[in-house]
Amino acid sequence: MKLSNHFLPAKKPGMSLVEVLIVLFLVSIILIFAYRIFFSQAKVITQSIEFMNVNENFRRITTYLGKDIREANQIIDPFPIPVEESSEVVTRPGVVLRMFKFQIDPSLPHDGPQGQKEFIHEIIYELIPDQNPQAPTIPRFKLIRTEYIQEKPGERSIQKNELAGNIRDFILFRNIRKPPA
């Protein structure tokens, strides 16, 4: 006996509801993985750029600071503290380092019995509060280096540089050396 085809559904081109749901499920899983990979890579790139900026700022600060300290004739601030108190020092806005450098100019004639004339350089490193748009409650600072150059009595020229910004902690101190026993 032969069955008639009029009771069976006709084959039409297209997809069933089950096939559509399976495709949507697979596509959503692929999109979720792509989303996670993209944003994790963006986070890694942001962190590496921040690390590069920190390293660049650190190099700039140590270059200026090392040169100025080597050439300084007199360091005014910070005052020396005992080694035991160095762990209690915290980051504060204001003058971090103040020093004087006396530079003799050989091109100028002698100034009487005291020798040649000299330029007086006063160098000040200062932390200034800086706005942190990502986290306004976390204090951030800018490190400013200001150099006052006195070529003649009463005349000063000023050179001001912003060495680094977005500084969270910057502590500079001098220790009192214990005399040898």
Side-chain angles (χ1 to χ4, degrees), residues 60-61 64 68 123-126 128 142-147 158-165:
R60 186 180 310 119
I61 290 170
Y64 275 96
D68 288 339
I123 302 168
I124 298 173
Y125 285 83
E126 185 175 14
I128 297 175
K142 289 192 280 190
L143 184 63
I144 307 291
R145 178 188 181 271
T146 308
E147 183 172 2
I158 300 173
Q159 295 177 355
K160 203 170 210 176
N161 297 334
E162 180 180 328
L163 296 182

Side-chain angles (χ1 to χ4, degrees), residues 38-113:
F38 175 76
F39 283 105
S40 67
Q41 290 298 320
K43 185 177 179 181
V44 168
I45 289 171
T46 303
Q47 285 178 343
S48 65
I49 289 172
E50 287 177 7
F51 288 141
M52 279 186 350
N53 289 338
V54 167
N55 287 336
E56 180 183 333
N57 288 341
F58 181 74
R59 274 189 234 111
R60 186 180 310 119
I61 290 170
T62 54
T63 300
Y64 275 96
L65 201 56
K67 178 182 176 289
D68 288 339
I69 289 174
R70 275 192 306 274
E71 294 176 353
N73 297 89
Q74 183 180 18
I75 297 177
I76 307 298
D77 285 327
F79 294 113
I81 59 173
V83 175
E84 298 81 27
E85 295 178 14
S86 62
S87 63
E88 300 168 9
V89 180
V90 295
T91 302
R92 288 192 194 117
V95 175
V96 177
L97 179 65
R98 184 171 169 236
M99 64 184 95
F100 286 98
K101 174 174 73 170
F102 305 106
Q103 182 180 11
I104 296 174
D105 186 0
S107 66
L108 296 175
H110 291 283
D111 188 16

Side-chain angles (χ1 to χ4, degrees), residues 134-171:
Q134 287 116 4
T137 58
I138 300 172
R140 300 292 175 145
F141 302 97
K142 289 192 280 190
L143 184 63
I144 307 291
R145 178 188 181 271
T146 308
E147 183 172 2
Y148 300 96
I149 304 169
Q150 182 178 348
E151 296 177 10
K152 298 176 185 173
E155 291 183 22
R156 293 172 86 179
S157 60
I158 300 173
Q159 295 177 355
K160 203 170 210 176
N161 297 334
E162 180 180 328
L163 296 182
N166 202 19
I167 296 173
R168 187 177 60 204
D169 290 314
F170 185 81
I171 300 171

